[in-house]
Amino acid sequence: MCFHNKGPNASCEVSGTLYVVIFGAMEVLLSQFPSLEKVTVLSYIAAAMSFAYSSIGLCLCLLEFSSHPKFKGTLTGVQVGTRNVSSTIKIWDSFQALGNVAFAYTFSMLLIEIQDTLKSPPSENSTMKKASIYGIGLTTLFYISLGCLGYATFGNDTPGNILTGFRKPIWLIDIANLAVLIHLFGAYQLFAQPIFAFYEQWSAKKWPNAGFFQRVYTLNLPFSKSRSIKFTLCKLILRTLFVLVTTVVAMMLPFFNAVVGLLGALGFWPLTVYYPMSMYMSQAKIKKRQFKWVMLQVLSLVCLFISLVAIIGSVADITEHLKHAELFKIKL
């Protein structure tokens, strides 16, 4: 809106700290939902918002490219020596990009939690398999289409957030950014709720007689006699503390692409590849040195290598950003 009102060359740097604090406050409230099953509506809304802003970004890239039908990107990317890009930086950024791609597919830790909320018949396993195939297929189609078309449109000047590359129509860009915000509200809970469930169940078993974990408090809503909120002190305090910690870390390390690459790399191989693959080989009774066993091990090693280089690239990028960043000062 600043660029739209004051022109493309205006100084529009504003602090993002307040926005992060507001986002954290909203997540504190949303984190009090009892479980993943209770945020189903939020999940639907987040999925719809993801489809909305991805579609808007894809259409804007298509319109921009059709107005100037010339490929701006190159197969080798930014040339070494231009725009202060050294060969080392280019390698680190390439490795970090692998981590970003890996993060897009680190959903396996949610599968069991989501499958727990499904009703049968049909069996939860068959429903989950179809959902995974359709979900992975659709998101991959969007990722590849938006990545290729965005790079063809902007070339080596492609922004990390594709929506920031456009200046008009302002109303459509605002809708897309609002969709991103709503999507992130829901996405945070989808990742956080399984973590809440894990440590709350573990704590309840560890201290079965502790009132902090077991005693349920009921708060009647003022405008509805039939509705009430039930919570434990464990849920109220520890979930709030979890959101506060993640919010503070986000304010200290406001490097979205680098942090996403690091998180994706750390979780990709052990949670998305090794653990599910080991379970499958055990269940299917695949013996060592069989052809399928060899191919699965090769796939696992390739994914491990990708995770390792992505971790290296992301850590290097975070280290580089820290040299020029000020803690708790987020510039938009």
Side-chain angles (χ1 to χ4, degrees):
M1 291 300 295
C2 175
F3 284 126
H4 177 70
N5 295 328
K6 299 181 179 180
N9 298 320
S11 178
C12 290
E13 286 191 357
V14 295
S15 173
T17 305
L18 177 62
Y19 296 105
V20 176
V21 171
I22 294 172
F23 184 87
M26 286 294 298
E27 293 301 343
V28 168
L29 296 175
L30 293 174
S31 67
Q32 298 307 314
F33 277 94
S35 63
L36 192 63
E37 191 172 1
K38 300 300 182 182
V39 295
T40 303
V41 175
L42 196 62
S43 176
Y44 285 139
I45 294 174
M49 294 299 102
S50 177
F51 182 78
Y53 70 72
S54 299
S55 300
I56 291 173
L58 191 62
C59 290
L60 288 174
C61 285
L62 186 60
L63 290 172
E64 184 74 18
F65 180 76
S66 60
S67 63
H68 304 89
K70 181 180 178 182
F71 289 95
K72 294 184 179 179
T74 60
L75 288 176
T76 56
V78 181
Q79 290 185 354
V80 174
T82 61
R83 298 168 56 183
N84 297 321
V85 175
S86 65
S87 57
T88 305
I89 292 177
K90 187 170 182 178
I91 292 173
W92 293 151
D93 287 348
S94 300
F95 287 168
Q96 177 200 311
L98 291 174
N100 289 335
V101 175
F103 184 80
Y105 292 97
T106 52
F107 59 88
S108 59
M109 68 284 287
L110 299 174
L111 287 182
I112 296 176
E113 292 292 335
I114 295 174
Q115 189 166 315
D116 247 2
T117 67
L118 299 177
K119 297 179 181 180
S120 58
S123 66
E124 296 93 336
N125 183 45
S126 60
T127 302
M128 206 69 221
K129 188 177 292 186
K130 287 183 180 179
S132 298
I133 293 173
Y134 294 145
I136 292 173
L138 188 61
T139 54
T140 301
L141 179 64
F142 263 107
Y143 290 151
I144 293 177
S145 301
L146 191 55
C148 293
L149 194 55
Y151 190 58
T153 303
F154 295 103
N156 295 331
D157 295 321
T158 305
N161 175 5
I162 198 71
L163 295 174
T164 62
F166 303 100
R167 293 287 178 262
K168 57 183 181 180
I170 190 65
W171 61 270
L172 188 60
I173 298 170
D174 283 345
I175 291 174
N177 280 305
L178 182 62
V180 172
L181 180 62
I182 297 173
H183 166 75
L184 290 177
F185 278 131
Y188 185 102
Q189 291 303 314
L190 288 179
F191 275 93
Q193 285 292 340
I195 299 174
F196 297 155
F198 172 76
Y199 73 70
E200 286 171 2
Q201 291 172 7
W202 178 84
S203 302
K205 291 180 181 179
K206 184 74 173 178
W207 297 283
N209 300 318
F212 181 76
F213 301 105
Q214 304 292 347
R215 185 176 178 181
V216 178
Y217 296 86
T218 302
L219 180 65
N220 294 320
L221 296 177
F223 303 106
S224 178
K225 295 181 179 180
S226 59
R227 294 179 179 271
S228 61
I229 299 175
K230 295 182 178 181
F231 61 91
T232 62
L233 289 178
C234 167
K235 180 184 297 183
L236 181 64
I237 296 174
L238 295 185
R239 290 190 180 193
T240 301
L241 186 61
F242 177 91
V243 176
L244 288 176
V245 171
T246 55
T247 303
V248 170
V249 172
M251 293 167 66
M252 291 175 62
L253 303 172
F255 323 126
F256 185 79
N257 284 340
V259 173
V260 164
L262 179 60
L263 293 176
L266 288 172
F268 178 66
W269 181 75
L271 297 176
T272 305
V273 180
Y274 177 75
Y275 179 57
M277 196 175 289
S278 299
M279 291 177 64
Y280 169 72
M281 288 191 291
S282 176
Q283 182 191 43
K285 295 182 170 60
I286 298 175
K287 296 180 179 180
K288 290 184 178 181
R289 297 180 180 82
Q290 285 184 344
F291 178 75
K292 183 179 286 188
W293 181 89
V294 172
M295 295 306 296
L296 289 173
Q297 295 301 325
V298 170
L299 176 61
S300 179
L301 288 174
V302 170
C303 292
L304 174 60
F305 175 76
I306 292 174
S307 294
L308 291 175
V309 297
I311 290 172
I312 295 171
S314 299
V315 170
D317 195 35
I318 291 174
T319 304
E320 185 65 26
H321 276 92
L322 285 173
K323 295 178 182 177
H324 312 287
E326 297 181 52
L327 296 181
F328 301 107
K329 287 190 177 181
I330 304 173
K331 293 182 179 179
L332 300 179

